[in-house]
Amino acid sequence: MRVLVIGSGAREHALLLALSRDPQVTGLSVAPGNAGTARLAEQHDVDITSGEAVIALARKVEADLVVIGPEVPLVLGVADAVRAAGITCFGPSKGAALIEGSKAFAKDVMAAAGVRTASSEIVDNPAHLDAALGRFGPPAGDPAWVVKDDSLAAGKGVVVTADREVARAHAAGLLEAGHPALLEAFLDGPEVSLFCVVDGATVVPLLPAQDFKRVGDGDTGPNTGGMGAYAPLPWLPDTVYREIVEQIVEPVAAEMVRRGSPFSGLLYAGLAITPAGPAVVEFNCRFGDPETQAVLALLESPLGQLLYAAGNGKLAEFGELRWHEGAAVTVVLAAENYPGRPRVGDVVTGSEAEGILHAGTTRRDDGAVVSSGGRVLSVVGTGTDLSAARANAYHIMESVRLPGSHFRTDIGQRAAEGKISV
């Protein structure tokens, strides 16, 4: 089969790399891609938010399967348009993608499905903000205020803080921009990212992972789109893993079917393992970055055939997934000033090594790879266990040079040292 992947980040680079290992995949295209994906796929410049443009490109490259990576085209309904054109697509409909596009919608789905999540309140009027803040955060017994953008925010619309003024400023900024603010109770416990390939009521879970949102070591500094991840989780009991699938993901998938918006694609559950059990922090409607890079590095089953089965309503016939032994660690190299406005246009050296997935990169006319975004590269290390995978990832990172860049040095460290428990 010929596959067209939509997107330009390290997630799409990881998808292409895994697809290239599938013996039934005979051709790969990507739009728009980056400097690294050019080695795996034909690159095309297209407006990925336009269903018509994506359909035209899919027909041009004779794609049998279109895989949509980013959330924005999914929330805008590009997957619906592709399917309506008679082309198999991996990615949820516009109605189903609301589970990421609106946190209020996701909360409503979880309430109907009986899924544990943080108590919350939507604030859409500045006059109600102070009273709402009084119902959450330290005065209410929580260790921090949690304030989220109700709409898409590329992983950077969340503030978790013990400082009321910081929480208030973030919420006020959202309201001033015309975005409702979601206030939530704080969920205490280690976090888990679980990707599930979903086809209606059929749920096939992938390996659990953990990502690192804060920019600095020790989970310090502002939230980012993700600075690293590792998989699997040696500290997560199988009983809790099964509970997440059976008591959270499957009920939510069934509720989406009941509502007439069945989910078909990748459903991402972000969870906290609280003393009361796993609770949902958020749902996403697509593969998450940087967890995808670690999880797919360990996948042995043919990815193209898996996604094609889901896109054609035959996921239940696919069978159990196979995984390589060991662990994988992703470390993100970020540009100077990220997650603020990043410095771009600098030459990146050492970026062609095995284990490096590109994100914010382009190639100049002279062949040099230059930075073009905040998260520039993902380095993926594998090994027999988490310690070995960490050592491999950071060894690869030593060969990469980018002026002013930064990365976290503690990805997976506490888990490798046995310091995380449920």
Side-chain angles (χ1 to χ4, degrees):
M1 76 180 88
R2 295 182 60 83
V3 184
L4 168 61
V5 174
I6 300 298
S8 63
R11 165 185 51 216
E12 287 74 32
H13 196 164
L15 285 165
L16 289 165
L17 188 61
L19 288 165
S20 71
R21 298 192 292 260
D22 186 331
Q24 287 196 14
V25 173
T26 56
L28 287 170
S29 298
V30 63
N34 56 50
T37 58
R39 291 180 290 174
L40 293 167
E42 296 177 0
Q43 303 218 140
H44 301 270
D45 189 15
V46 72
D47 179 2
I48 66 172
T49 65
S50 165
E52 290 183 359
V54 172
I55 291 166
L57 177 59
R59 287 174 172 157
K60 177 182 176 181
V61 301
E62 299 180 333
D64 302 292
L65 171 66
V66 175
V67 179
I68 300 177
E71 62 273 24
V72 172
L74 293 169
V75 169
L76 292 176
V78 173
D80 303 81
V82 172
R83 275 191 282 269
I87 303 168
T88 301
C89 184
F90 183 80
S93 66
K94 180 178 181 178
L98 264 179
I99 203 159
E100 178 172 0
S102 168
K103 294 176 180 63
F105 174 82
K107 290 287 188 182
D108 188 60
V109 170
M110 285 185 273
V115 167
R116 185 185 296 112
T117 186
S119 60
S120 63
E121 181 176 340
I122 287 284
V123 179
D124 57 9
N125 186 330
H128 301 156
L129 177 57
D130 286 313
L133 284 168
R135 291 188 282 273
F136 293 87
D142 287 338
W145 279 274
V146 181
V147 184
K148 297 181 177 181
D149 189 337
D150 181 56
S151 56
L152 294 179
K156 290 177 281 187
V158 181
V159 164
V160 181
T161 178
D163 188 327
R164 180 189 175 104
E165 288 309 307
V166 172
R168 191 185 190 287
H170 182 60
L174 294 173
L175 293 169
E176 187 176 345
H179 296 193
L182 179 78
L183 304 186
E184 275 191 339
F186 180 80
L187 292 175
D188 192 20
E191 293 196 358
V192 174
S193 297
L194 183 64
F195 299 165
C196 295
V197 179
V198 176
D199 165 18
T202 302
V203 173
V204 175
L206 307 189
L207 290 179
Q210 186 178 66
D211 79 330
F212 294 74
K213 290 293 188 188
R214 301 277 190 169
V215 71
D217 284 0
D219 290 329
T220 57
N223 272 346
T224 71
M227 293 298 293
Y230 67 95
L233 307 182
W235 49 267
L236 185 71
D238 287 342
T239 52
V240 178
Y241 175 76
R242 289 195 298 272
E243 182 181 353
I244 293 168
V245 176
E246 295 170 4
Q247 297 185 24
I248 292 177
V249 182
E250 288 179 349
V252 164
E255 173 62 17
M256 296 296 286
V257 172
R258 189 191 70 77
R259 291 176 177 230
S261 297
F263 196 97
S264 175
L266 196 289
L267 185 58
Y268 169 140
L271 311 118
I273 311 303
T274 73
V280 176
V281 175
E282 65 176 351
F283 276 109
N284 290 340
C285 65
R286 38 72 194 185
F287 280 101
D289 183 340
E291 300 98 320
T292 300
Q293 294 89 294
V295 171
L296 292 187
L298 299 172
L299 181 66
E300 185 179 349
S301 295
L303 180 64
Q305 295 171 54
L306 172 66
L307 304 187
Y308 190 77
N312 280 296
K314 297 182 178 179
L315 182 61
E317 303 172 15
F318 188 82
E320 290 192 15
L321 300 184
R322 303 187 308 277
W323 299 94
H324 296 292
E325 295 291 330
V329 171
T330 302
V331 182
V332 171
L333 181 74
E336 182 178 341
N337 200 42
Y338 178 80
R341 175 180 250 174
R343 170 176 161 176
V344 298
D346 291 308
V347 173
V348 187
T349 58
S351 64
E352 309 291 344
E354 185 175 352
I356 294 179
L357 302 174
H358 289 233
T361 65
T362 58
R363 194 174 295 276
R364 285 193 322 211
D365 291 343
D366 63 2
V369 173
V370 298
S371 60
S372 62
R375 291 187 295 172
V376 181
L377 301 170
S378 286
V379 172
V380 182
T382 57
T384 54
D385 59 19
L386 189 51
S387 294
R390 273 177 42 81
N392 186 14
Y394 284 108
H395 175 71
I396 297 169
M397 184 67 84
E398 289 176 359
S399 66
V400 183
R401 295 288 181 272
L402 172 63
S405 62
H406 58 97
F407 60 89
R408 284 186 59 161
T409 65
D410 62 347
I411 304 300
Q413 182 175 349
R414 293 185 68 245
E417 294 173 350
K419 295 181 178 179
I420 303 178
S421 62
V422 174

